[in-house]
Amino acid sequence: MDFLSLFVMDFVKQLQSPTLSFLIGGMVIAALGSELQIPESICKIIVFMLLTKIGLTGGIAIRNSNLTEMVLPVLFSVALGILIVFIARYTLAKLPKVKTVDAIATGGLFGAVSGSTMAAALTLLEEQNIQYEAWAGALYPFMDIPALVTAIVIANIYLKKKKHSAADEYLSKQEYLEKQPVAAGDYPDQQDYPSTRQEYLSKQQSADNRVKIWPIVEESLRGPALSAMLLGLALGLFTRPESVYKSFYDPAFRGLLSILMLVMGMEAWSRIGELRKVAQWYVVYSLVAPLLHGFIAFGLGMIAHYATGFSLGGVVVLSVIAASSSDISGPPTLRAGIPSANPSAYIGASTAIGTPVAIGLAIPLFLGLAQAIGGS
Amino acid sequence: MDFLSLFVMDFVKQLQSPTLSFLIGGMVIAALGSELQIPESICKIIVFMLLTKIGLTGGIAIRNSNLTEMVLPVLFSVALGILIVFIARYTLAKLPKVKTVDAIATGGLFGAVSGSTMAAALTLLEEQNIQYEAWAGALYPFMDIPALVTAIVIANIYLKKKKHSAADEYLSKQEYLEKQPVAAGDYPDQQDYPSTRQEYLSKQQSADNRVKIWPIVEESLRGPALSAMLLGLALGLFTRPESVYKSFYDPAFRGLLSILMLVMGMEAWSRIGELRKVAQWYVVYSLVAPLLHGFIAFGLGMIAHYATGFSLGGVVVLSVIAASSSDISGPPTLRAGIPSANPSAYIGASTAIGTPVAIGLAIPLFLGLAQAIGGS
Amino acid sequence: MDFLSLFVMDFVKQLQSPTLSFLIGGMVIAALGSELQIPESICKIIVFMLLTKIGLTGGIAIRNSNLTEMVLPVLFSVALGILIVFIARYTLAKLPKVKTVDAIATGGLFGAVSGSTMAAALTLLEEQNIQYEAWAGALYPFMDIPALVTAIVIANIYLKKKKHSAADEYLSKQEYLEKQPVAAGDYPDQQDYPSTRQEYLSKQQSADNRVKIWPIVEESLRGPALSAMLLGLALGLFTRPESVYKSFYDPAFRGLLSILMLVMGMEAWSRIGELRKVAQWYVVYSLVAPLLHGFIAFGLGMIAHYATGFSLGGVVVLSVIAASSSDISGPPTLRAGIPSANPSAYIGASTAIGTPVAIGLAIPLFLGLAQAIGGS
């Protein structure tokens, strides 16, 4: 009873926090048809500053901390990244009207991590004075990269297996695509679809060679979000960025995050239409998956809590990065790695539903859970 | 004597304030041909942050304040918004070589409110430690929307009345336009002019139906400036944005305003050429109108001061928003609502003269007046 | 011995400072192929804010200081700006495969000043608590403009002298250019090359008239970097910008500089390819010149130190602005003033090598030198 009331109070309180209220505000003004726009260049620099700050925090923390206590959370992050893709492969992909490659790509995106969602979680933890390891943000790449690699590898293995019947399936896919009113311009990758059967077969030929893992890892690391974070991590580890961290990156963090949350709310609303074009099972998946992944991570995190003293705040961070789905760095990697998957499916599922659920439901849920466990 | 010397001293002091000096600096460097440019995306995010901050301030203030004391200032704001349009209709529109629809549109823009001008006034009040109601910024939409609605409604009523002779007048207007060297690209709405007489008549046909007020209100509310302000207002009222307000929106306010003032000074200078193209009466109107509107508002504000204790700082805010003319949100609404009005006329009048007069003359004037009244 | 150890310790410490580590970080992530991008509009506003801040600092300082102590450093700045161009004229230009106009333009760019490099030096001086005259940043235009004017004037005198053989040389130049794989798009001035011999001769005709100095000065002053700095200087001198300086421009300085350093590191790396296209002597020149120019300036600065009490920190500032080469405002002026010079040569030399050497080597060197002299 005490547990439940603590949890409910906390949940309501968190919806009023700047982070969540700007997210909801963004959805509301987009729904009301506001013409407010945050320029693309502003979003880019905000993402850069948030992830550099998270990296700096992590780097400075790792420089001053005991590396052995990171081992278990890092291993769990890798395991979660891989597991989440397999969950999608054996649930979402089996559902009617869902194409297998689309499902695998969606699993990859939900296994990958959203820097903005993580930033929101870290901010809420601080606002509520819940301790967490300063290096917790550095778990990001350990879940993000394995998820994307796994998704691309099993998608290519799947495609290779059905290669012989592929040419025919491709033709029916083309018909399917032609029936779909895809928003032109936004995701020009549709143009990447090979335009003749010959071309298609020759492309598959090259996929026949073993799927190379290193280029996928490399591409992930080169993406703007991970680059910024790893740059911050390296600068935090090897140089003395404390002065600029304290005077610039740290104080601007919450404010910039509020603008980004607004943008994400507006973006989520505008993408809902795209989801309607693909099978409705994506809606179900993207509502359930963040919470399911978060609960698995919460369980693993509690093991680390009892085994090696991983803090409850750290458990929340692990749960939230498992619950989050990538919105910035993941999509380009997947589009390059699984060109035959339909971006409307995986980006729609992640941005329109996955991210709002992760930020607006999963964060308060796991935070409340941690507080109730810690308080009881 | 004491009154006058207080006033003059204050006026000079205010021209040296960062807000006004950056405005004047912008005009000077534009006049000297500087190639300095503040990118458009930066201006957009600055306007967003300033108006969100004003909204947040207002929302937090309203949450903690007595609503009844807002009644009179709100009513006066609505009345002023409507009155200013009628003043233009019966003065500017009657002058030689001034087209009636252009005059009505100009009145609409001068009745509407400039968020940047208001931001400048709030900053100067704070710099001089003059108290004002924290919700005063929330008077903005109560003057802005009635002005735009009134302008569009009476312009359409006027156009309907002269409909039968309209087709001929349109042809002569086309000739008139062809003679004018309109800056291409900047305001592509010239292309909106119907290209054949048929089309023109059929457009007028639809205007024949009663002018619908709600869509105009809706469009005003959806504009980027009002959206940001109302978002801030709602977040301030219903959530707890204090942490992000104090750490981000409030401290950045004055600095961002200084950049925006610079841009507005440069913009004002570059628009002066456009004014030369239209009748010179626009220059007279845009020099006199801000001060006239401000004085009417100052009078009404003093009534509220004695009747319900509206602060002298609040009276200054009311006067300045009456003196200000819209530069961001107003023009697109007017262009959509009165497509036959000439944007060179109303935008030139507002941006090149109205805004510098409002910021550089009206603000110091009414501020000095309030201080002299309060001090004597 | 003590001198050397002090110097080495200091050098290593400075490489770990935020300013230098972000520069190196930018080069490293560019070398690793990161897709991180800082939008152009963000770079522009950062440059605006940094140079406005430097101008404001200078203006406020000059308002409160003794002008006579500025005389000697100002004279030395002018002399250095002119001298550096002549050094290039009589060293670089004499080397095999180096075209004389390209060499003069390169000398102009190395004589001109980089606002970002100067910002980095000022930040490092503050981080190490070394005093310098607050007006030292205002030396910038006194070196920048003479260098650009000198380069353009002597390039035009040179071109005039060889006018009679010019038409033939032009044809061979065209061949030379056609062999070079110039990065299209980046520097479209290649299109400025006159397309026929006639046109070329008639262009030279106009150059025949005396080279006008005032337009070059005017163009330099109008460039975005100098405009911002002089605006700040004027506002600092004649108005009261202290409130906005303390709340906005000053606190944001180091953080914004760190982002700009990252961009400059990435930019330097990406320009290295361009240098390969021109004679290798440019590489040698741009490695040696910053240090040589810096040492000459250091010597002159020490004269001012003993003669009029110019601070050791001020000597470092003078050395660094002599060592720096212009990357923002210089190139457009040179392209307009010496259209026949090859931008790949002078921009490549400055951005890819000159700037990293100035920031990463010259700053720590002269700073260490000053500390060792001051400490011993």
Side-chain angles (χ1 to χ4, degrees):
Chain A
M1 189 52 211
D2 192 39
F3 180 96
L4 194 70
S5 67
L6 259 174
F7 175 81
V8 170
M9 266 175 54
D10 200 68
F11 188 89
V12 172
K13 208 169 106 195
Q14 281 162 30
L15 288 182
Q16 288 195 319
S17 80
T19 306
L20 298 189
S21 59
F22 272 83
L23 180 85
I24 298 167
M27 297 177 83
V28 170
I29 66 170
L32 295 174
S34 162
E35 281 153 21
L36 180 69
Q37 279 186 323
I38 306 296
E40 182 57 24
S41 56
I42 302 299
C43 298
K44 277 191 185 167
I45 194 72
I46 292 179
V47 168
F48 166 79
M49 283 190 60
L50 296 183
L51 287 169
T52 303
K53 189 263 176 183
I54 292 174
L56 287 170
T57 315
I60 297 172
I62 292 174
R63 199 208 303 155
N64 302 319
S65 75
N66 180 0
L67 285 187
T68 57
E69 64 185 21
M70 286 184 69
V71 173
L72 213 53
V74 163
L75 288 180
F76 285 159
S77 299
V78 174
L80 282 161
I82 296 169
L83 178 65
I84 289 170
V85 181
F86 278 96
I87 293 176
R89 176 71 187 87
Y90 292 106
T91 59
L92 180 61
K94 301 293 184 196
L95 292 169
K97 290 194 193 167
V98 172
K99 295 181 64 66
T100 306
V101 277
D102 292 359
I104 297 171
T106 307
L109 216 53
F110 276 73
V113 176
S114 156
S116 332
T117 304
M118 181 168 74
L122 300 180
T123 301
L124 281 162
L125 282 167
E126 275 159 39
E127 277 176 9
Q128 316 224 353
N129 291 316
I130 303 178
Q131 298 296 314
Y132 64 93
E133 286 77 6
W135 48 259
L139 294 174
Y140 179 151
F142 293 104
M143 193 182 303
D144 193 67
I145 295 172
L148 292 172
V149 170
T150 308
I152 294 173
V153 170
I154 69 173
N156 281 288
I157 291 169
Y158 167 80
L159 286 169
K160 222 187 303 182
K161 274 188 194 156
K162 60 187 294 250
K163 181 202 153 190
H164 297 294
S165 56
D168 297 337
E169 192 237 11
Y170 163 66
L171 287 175
S172 69
K173 180 176 177 49
Q174 277 305 80
E175 274 169 64
Y176 163 84
L177 276 173
E178 276 153 21
K179 280 179 200 150
Q180 298 212 12
V182 176
D186 242 346
Y187 289 96
D189 19 35
Q190 305 303 79
Q191 299 169 354
D192 294 345
Y193 286 114
S195 57
T196 71
R197 193 173 167 172
Q198 251 76 12
E199 218 181 303
Y200 181 73
L201 281 169
S202 75
K203 265 208 173 174
Q204 284 309 96
Q205 223 78 36
S206 66
D208 248 351
N209 310 325
R210 285 204 305 128
V211 182
K212 300 225 175 58
I213 289 177
W214 181 239
I216 312 170
V217 175
E218 221 175 33
E219 180 159 354
S220 299
L221 293 171
R222 279 178 183 162
L226 259 183
S227 282
M229 206 209 142
L230 294 173
L231 172 75
L233 205 60
L235 291 174
L237 269 173
F238 302 120
T239 73
R240 296 287 172 272
E242 278 84 351
S243 67
V244 84
Y245 176 84
K246 273 180 204 151
S247 71
F248 188 65
Y249 291 95
D250 191 36
F253 192 77
R254 289 188 192 186
L256 294 175
L257 183 65
S258 74
I259 299 179
L260 194 63
M261 286 292 124
L262 186 74
V263 173
M264 291 173 78
M266 291 161 66
E267 179 82 346
W269 188 266
S270 74
R271 289 245 180 244
I272 276 182
E274 272 174 48
L275 260 193
R276 291 210 195 99
K277 293 176 220 154
V278 292
Q280 289 167 341
W281 287 113
Y282 284 99
V283 177
V284 177
Y285 173 80
S286 41
L287 282 170
V288 174
L291 302 175
L292 175 67
H293 303 156
F295 271 117
I296 299 173
F298 199 91
L300 292 175
M302 289 308 291
I303 293 175
H305 176 64
Y306 290 118
T308 64
F310 191 43
S311 71
L312 282 173
V315 175
V316 174
V317 175
L318 186 70
S319 309
V320 170
I321 64 179
S324 81
S325 53
S326 177
D327 33 29
I328 294 160
S329 50
T333 308
L334 285 177
R335 279 187 271 168
I338 320 177
S340 54
N342 180 359
S344 293
Y346 58 82
I347 297 178
S350 165
T351 309
I353 304 189
T355 295
V357 167
I359 300 178
L361 278 180
I363 295 182
L365 177 71
F366 296 115
L367 229 159
L369 216 57
Q371 273 183 317
I373 290 173
S376 62
Chain B
M1 187 55 209
D2 192 41
F3 180 96
L4 194 71
S5 67
L6 260 173
F7 175 81
V8 169
M9 267 176 53
D10 201 66
F11 189 89
V12 172
K13 207 170 106 195
Q14 281 161 30
L15 288 182
Q16 288 196 320
S17 80
T19 306
L20 297 189
S21 59
F22 271 83
L23 180 85
I24 297 166
M27 296 177 83
V28 170
I29 66 170
L32 295 175
S34 163
E35 281 152 21
L36 180 69
Q37 278 188 324
I38 306 296
E40 182 57 27
S41 56
I42 302 298
C43 297
K44 277 191 185 166
I45 194 73
I46 290 179
V47 169
F48 165 78
M49 282 188 62
L50 295 184
L51 287 169
T52 303
K53 189 263 176 183
I54 292 174
L56 287 169
T57 315
I60 296 171
I62 293 173
R63 199 207 305 155
N64 302 318
S65 77
N66 180 1
L67 285 187
T68 56
E69 64 185 24
M70 286 184 69
V71 173
L72 213 52
V74 163
L75 288 180
F76 286 158
S77 299
V78 174
L80 281 161
I82 296 169
L83 179 64
I84 289 170
V85 181
F86 278 97
I87 293 176
R89 175 74 186 87
Y90 292 105
T91 59
L92 181 61
K94 301 294 184 195
L95 292 169
K97 289 195 193 166
V98 172
K99 296 181 63 70
T100 307
V101 277
D102 292 358
I104 297 173
T106 307
L109 216 53
F110 275 73
V113 176
S114 156
S116 332
T117 305
M118 182 167 75
L122 300 181
T123 300
L124 281 162
L125 283 166
E126 275 160 38
E127 277 176 8
Q128 316 225 352
N129 291 316
I130 303 178
Q131 298 296 314
Y132 63 92
E133 286 76 7
W135 48 258
L139 295 175
Y140 178 152
F142 292 104
M143 192 181 305
D144 193 68
I145 295 173
L148 293 172
V149 170
T150 308
I152 294 173
V153 169
I154 69 173
N156 281 288
I157 290 169
Y158 167 80
L159 285 169
K160 221 188 303 181
K161 276 188 193 155
K162 60 187 294 249
K163 180 202 154 190
H164 296 294
S165 57
D168 296 336
E169 192 237 11
Y170 163 64
L171 287 176
S172 70
K173 180 175 176 50
Q174 277 304 79
E175 273 169 62
Y176 162 83
L177 275 173
E178 276 154 20
K179 279 180 203 151
Q180 299 212 10
V182 176
D186 242 345
Y187 289 96
D189 20 34
Q190 305 302 81
Q191 301 169 353
D192 293 346
Y193 286 113
S195 58
T196 72
R197 193 173 166 169
Q198 253 74 14
E199 220 181 300
Y200 182 72
L201 281 168
S202 74
K203 265 209 172 170
Q204 283 310 93
Q205 223 78 38
S206 65
D208 249 349
N209 311 326
R210 286 203 306 128
V211 182
K212 300 225 175 58
I213 289 176
W214 182 238
I216 311 170
V217 175
E218 220 173 34
E219 180 160 351
S220 299
L221 293 171
R222 279 178 182 163
L226 260 183
S227 281
M229 205 208 143
L230 294 173
L231 172 75
L233 205 60
L235 291 175
L237 269 173
F238 302 121
T239 73
R240 296 286 172 274
E242 278 83 351
S243 66
V244 85
Y245 177 84
K246 274 179 205 152
S247 71
F248 188 67
Y249 291 95
D250 192 36
F253 192 76
R254 289 188 192 187
L256 294 176
L257 182 65
S258 74
I259 298 178
L260 194 63
M261 286 294 123
L262 185 75
V263 174
M264 291 173 77
M266 290 161 66
E267 180 81 347
W269 188 265
S270 73
R271 289 245 181 245
I272 276 182
E274 273 173 47
L275 260 193
R276 292 211 195 99
K277 295 176 218 154
V278 293
Q280 289 167 339
W281 286 114
Y282 283 99
V283 176
V284 177
Y285 173 80
S286 40
L287 282 169
V288 174
L291 302 176
L292 175 67
H293 302 157
F295 272 116
I296 299 174
F298 199 91
L300 291 175
M302 288 309 290
I303 295 176
H305 175 63
Y306 290 118
T308 64
F310 190 43
S311 71
L312 282 173
V315 175
V316 174
V317 175
L318 186 69
S319 309
V320 171
I321 64 178
S324 80
S325 53
S326 177
D327 34 27
I328 294 160
S329 50
T333 308
L334 285 177
R335 279 187 270 168
I338 319 178
S340 54
N342 179 359
S344 293
Y346 57 82
I347 297 178
S350 164
T351 308
I353 304 188
T355 295
V357 167
I359 301 178
L361 278 180
I363 296 182
L365 177 71
F366 296 116
L367 229 159
L369 216 57
Q371 272 183 317
I373 291 173
S376 63
Chain C
M1 188 54 209
D2 192 41
F3 181 97
L4 194 73
S5 66
L6 261 174
F7 174 81
V8 170
M9 266 176 54
D10 202 66
F11 189 89
V12 172
K13 209 171 107 193
Q14 281 161 30
L15 289 181
Q16 287 196 321
S17 80
T19 306
L20 298 189
S21 59
F22 272 83
L23 180 85
I24 297 166
M27 296 177 83
V28 170
I29 66 171
L32 295 174
S34 163
E35 281 153 21
L36 180 68
Q37 280 186 322
I38 305 296
E40 182 57 25
S41 56
I42 302 299
C43 297
K44 278 190 184 166
I45 194 72
I46 291 179
V47 169
F48 165 79
M49 283 188 63
L50 296 184
L51 287 170
T52 303
K53 189 262 176 186
I54 291 174
L56 286 170
T57 315
I60 297 172
I62 292 173
R63 200 207 305 154
N64 302 318
S65 75
N66 181 359
L67 285 188
T68 56
E69 64 186 22
M70 286 184 70
V71 173
L72 213 52
V74 162
L75 288 180
F76 285 158
S77 300
V78 174
L80 281 161
I82 295 168
L83 178 64
I84 289 170
V85 181
F86 278 97
I87 292 176
R89 176 72 186 86
Y90 292 105
T91 60
L92 180 61
K94 302 293 184 196
L95 293 168
K97 289 194 191 167
V98 172
K99 295 180 66 67
T100 307
V101 278
D102 293 358
I104 296 171
T106 307
L109 216 54
F110 275 73
V113 176
S114 156
S116 332
T117 304
M118 181 168 74
L122 301 180
T123 301
L124 281 162
L125 282 166
E126 275 160 39
E127 277 175 10
Q128 315 224 354
N129 290 316
I130 303 178
Q131 299 297 314
Y132 63 94
E133 286 76 8
W135 49 258
L139 294 175
Y140 178 152
F142 293 103
M143 193 183 303
D144 194 68
I145 295 173
L148 293 172
V149 170
T150 308
I152 295 174
V153 170
I154 68 172
N156 281 288
I157 290 169
Y158 167 81
L159 286 168
K160 220 188 303 181
K161 276 186 193 158
K162 60 187 294 247
K163 181 202 154 192
H164 296 294
S165 57
D168 297 335
E169 192 237 13
Y170 163 65
L171 287 176
S172 70
K173 180 176 176 50
Q174 277 304 80
E175 273 169 65
Y176 163 83
L177 274 172
E178 275 156 22
K179 280 179 198 150
Q180 300 214 8
V182 177
D186 242 348
Y187 290 95
D189 20 32
Q190 304 303 80
Q191 299 170 355
D192 293 345
Y193 286 114
S195 58
T196 72
R197 194 174 165 171
Q198 252 75 12
E199 218 181 302
Y200 181 73
L201 281 169
S202 74
K203 266 208 173 171
Q204 284 308 95
Q205 223 78 37
S206 66
D208 249 349
N209 310 325
R210 286 204 307 128
V211 182
K212 301 224 176 60
I213 290 178
W214 182 239
I216 312 171
V217 175
E218 221 175 34
E219 179 158 355
S220 298
L221 293 170
R222 278 178 182 163
L226 259 184
S227 283
M229 205 209 142
L230 294 173
L231 172 76
L233 204 61
L235 292 174
L237 268 174
F238 302 121
T239 73
R240 296 286 172 271
E242 278 84 350
S243 66
V244 85
Y245 176 84
K246 275 182 204 150
S247 71
F248 189 65
Y249 291 95
D250 191 37
F253 192 76
R254 290 188 192 188
L256 295 176
L257 182 65
S258 73
I259 299 179
L260 194 63
M261 286 293 123
L262 186 74
V263 173
M264 290 174 78
M266 291 161 66
E267 179 81 348
W269 188 263
S270 73
R271 289 245 180 243
I272 276 182
E274 272 174 48
L275 261 194
R276 291 208 196 102
K277 294 177 220 151
V278 292
Q280 290 168 340
W281 286 114
Y282 284 99
V283 176
V284 177
Y285 173 80
S286 40
L287 282 169
V288 173
L291 301 176
L292 175 67
H293 303 157
F295 272 116
I296 299 173
F298 199 91
L300 292 174
M302 288 309 291
I303 294 175
H305 175 63
Y306 291 117
T308 64
F310 190 43
S311 71
L312 282 172
V315 175
V316 174
V317 175
L318 186 69
S319 309
V320 170
I321 64 179
S324 80
S325 53
S326 177
D327 34 27
I328 294 161
S329 50
T333 307
L334 285 178
R335 279 187 270 170
I338 318 177
S340 55
N342 180 359
S344 293
Y346 57 82
I347 298 178
S350 165
T351 309
I353 304 189
T355 296
V357 167
I359 302 178
L361 278 181
I363 296 182
L365 177 71
F366 297 115
L367 230 158
L369 217 56
Q371 273 183 317
I373 290 173
S376 62

